[in-house]
Amino acid sequence: VQLQASGGGLVQAGGSLRLSCAASGRPFSYYAVGWFRQAPGKVRESVAAASRSGVSTYVEESVKGRFTISRDSAKNTVYLQMNSLKPEDTAVYYCAVRTSYSSGTYYRAEHEYNYWGQGTQVTVSS
């Protein structure tokens, strides 16, 4: 599977962006999905995750109430809706997938993912 992340850009604090992760090859229904980010000088961290079915989702405490992960099966695309953005959200955002036999399990750890997109830059100005 190949992943293409897009939707990043420059936005003022308090603004919104929607990141997209499009997959080529097998449908997203075969995969659990995760969004990660890496800020300059920091390690890559989990942001949100969704199970293969999409029914089970998780967002990290730092973005809870502001970020939402969702998918559009018809478009074979997963989204990360980011609202009320803060300067500390500035980072390169990556989507990742892994095959999953469990339809209801999401994964938060970076090492659990097999395939990664190229990343999209999000910059939030104060």
Side-chain angles (χ1 to χ4, degrees), residues 10 13 17 39 51 53 121:
L10 173 64
L17 284 174
S51 64
S53 67
Q121 175 71 47

Side-chain angles (χ1 to χ4, degrees), residues 69-119:
I69 184 172
S70 63
R71 69 174 72 200
D72 185 331
S73 298
K75 296 182 178 180
N76 209 30
T77 300
V78 172
Y79 302 102
L80 183 68
Q81 179 66 44
M82 307 186 296
N83 300 326
S84 302
L85 282 161
K86 304 175 181 180
E88 51 262 44
D89 295 319
T90 294
V92 178
Y93 284 72
Y94 300 88
C95 60
V97 300
R98 60 158 288 160
T99 53
S100 176
Y101 294 105
S102 169
S103 63
T105 302
Y106 54 77
Y107 304 87
R108 295 172 57 197
E110 183 177 347
H111 71 268
E112 296 189 281
Y113 287 88
N114 309 104
Y115 304 97
W116 292 80
Q118 84 288 3

